[in-house]
Each structure stands twice: as structure tokens, then as C-alpha cells.
Amino acid sequence: MPIAQFLVSDAVRARLPAETRESAVRDMVTALAEAGKFHPDELDDIVRAVLRREQLGTTGIGHGIAIPHTRHTSVTSLVATCATLKSGVSFDAVDDKPVDVLFLLISPQDRPREHLQALESVVQAVGDAGFVQMLRDAGADSELAKLLVDGPRTETAS
Amino acid sequence: MVTSGSVRRTVIVHNPAGLHMRPAAAVARCAQSFRAVIRVSLDDKTVDCKSPLALITLIAVPGSLLTIEAEGADDACEAADRVSALLADPGDGH
């Protein structure tokens, strides 16, 4: 499933100045609310749910990348966004490195395949270190969104 | 092909959310505690059980039939049993 299929381009944020895990998550959930993906009244509850999930086990998968996520009743289909941060924040990641590239996934209840497909798409994409560096280098929201929609380049280096 | 000295198990995924990040991390952590080489297959895809990210790429939804194969060390049997139990675990709803 291409990232473009579930990414909310309008909610992508480059170089967020967030300085903590909590504020990064809140900024990303706010971006999704501003893109109209759920009612603003749901914002606090979604942030809480994402952070509760982090308490169960970090989504910091290493190399500065995290995939915070939650299931929530406010969405009827999976919505996702991506953000890069100006400087890394602690996520208790598996390699203890600060996180500066985040993919936030919010899934409806009882739709496991969609959530797993999205996770797989993100995991495959961030396996390309060159692609991740391009994400980090993007200076504008639109540039970051375009990179994500286009996806990692698949041609091999000569 | 089951090579000599390899142990094979099959389990069904019972976690209602499938093999998502949390159970994948738990399965990989368990697998890493064994010397045996442990692989998990779903249909025609086979991954290293010691990699939580690789397990995620299986997209193992509830009801998926997984094949576990462990070999290469004398803890292969225990490895296969422990990993299989975790893969079949219905989880705690989170």
C-alpha cells in the first residue's frame, strides 16, 4: 500500500520546533485536526491515547524514527501524517537515539489489516536511509509531503 | 524443505489486531534470547524472527497461518515452542 494512499498531505509538517515527545505528538494530531480528519473536540483524547500507547512500549524503532499510533473511534478510516523535527526528542527508542522523523497513524477500531499495511509501508520506506535523509532535509511542508507521496526511489545506483 | 535438526511449528494469529508493533517486539525479543536461527513464514514470505520490523512486514492479520522454523542450535526446539506461543497469543487488547 503506497504511503500516498493513507497520508494526509495537508497535515505533513517539516522542521517542527517541538522539544518533547509529547509536544511533537500533540503538534501532529493538531495538524490532522486542522486538516479536518476528526472533530477538534477529539484532539486531547487522541493525544492521550497515543501517549498511553507509548507507555506500553516505545514506537521509536531506531535511527531517529518513530511511529506513534493509536486506534480511535473518531476516525472511520486510517489517517496518517509525517513530521520532521528541528532537533531530536527523546522517545526511549530502541537504540536510545533521539527521534526527529515521525509517522503518526490513527486507525479505526477493528480494521487490523489497514493498520498493519500502513505500518509495513512506513517500515519499508524508512528502511531506505537515503530517503529518510531526504525527508530530514526537506525545508517546507509541501516539499516533505511531495517526497512522501512520490516515495523512495527504486532505481539502483549505477 | 525441513532440514535435519530444524524444528517446525504452525500457529494461527489470535491477536485481534494481528501481529502489530507490540507483539512483534515481544516475539523478536523472545527470539533474540535463543542461539537458534528462527524464521517465520506467512504464505510465500519468510522473515527473520529476531527482527521486529521484519515481523511487521508479514502483515499477519488475525487468522493468519504462520510457520515457524528454528534450527542451528540445541535450543531450536525451545525457541520454536516459545516463539510459537507468543505468535498465537491473543494479547491484552492493546
Side-chain angles (χ1 to χ4, degrees), chain B:
Chain B
M1 181 179 73
V2 178
T3 55
S4 64
S6 73
V7 179
R8 180 176 281 194
R9 302 277 183 273
T10 56
V11 296
I12 291 176
V13 174
H14 290 111
N15 190 313
L19 188 58
H20 60 106
M21 194 180 271
R22 266 191 78 217
V27 168
R29 249 191 328 268
C30 174
Q32 287 160 17
S33 69
F34 296 99
R35 287 184 305 280
V37 172
I38 311 167
R39 288 180 277 263
V40 182
S41 303
L42 172 57
D43 299 327
D44 57 356
K45 181 154 192 175
T46 299
V47 301
D48 175 6
C49 194
K50 297 182 181 180
S51 166
L53 297 184
L55 288 170
I56 284 170
T57 66
L58 285 176
I59 311 182
V61 297
S64 294
L65 185 68
L66 301 177
T67 302
I68 299 94
E69 188 169 354
E71 62 182 352
D74 54 13
D75 58 10
C77 191
E78 188 191 350
D81 287 343
R82 292 267 306 277
V83 160
S84 299
L86 282 176
L87 286 166
D89 194 308
D92 57 9
H94 295 283

Side-chain angles (χ1 to χ4, degrees), chain A residues 22-89:
Chain A
E22 290 73 19
S23 56
V25 167
R26 177 166 286 274
D27 288 350
M28 294 177 81
V29 177
T30 300
L32 284 169
E34 288 172 353
K37 291 305 161 183
F38 43 79
H39 197 279
D41 288 351
E42 303 276 16
L43 196 152
D44 286 341
D45 198 57
I46 293 171
V47 170
R48 267 194 299 269
V50 173
L51 295 176
R52 255 199 318 268
R53 166 59 186 84
E54 284 301 315
Q55 291 305 313
L56 296 177
T58 182
T59 64
I61 59 173
H63 304 290
I65 298 152
I67 315 179
H69 58 271
T70 189
R71 284 173 280 169
H72 203 270
T73 52
S74 62
V75 298
T76 52
S77 63
L78 187 144
V79 296
T81 186
C82 175
T84 57
L85 307 183
K86 274 189 180 160
S87 52
V89 301

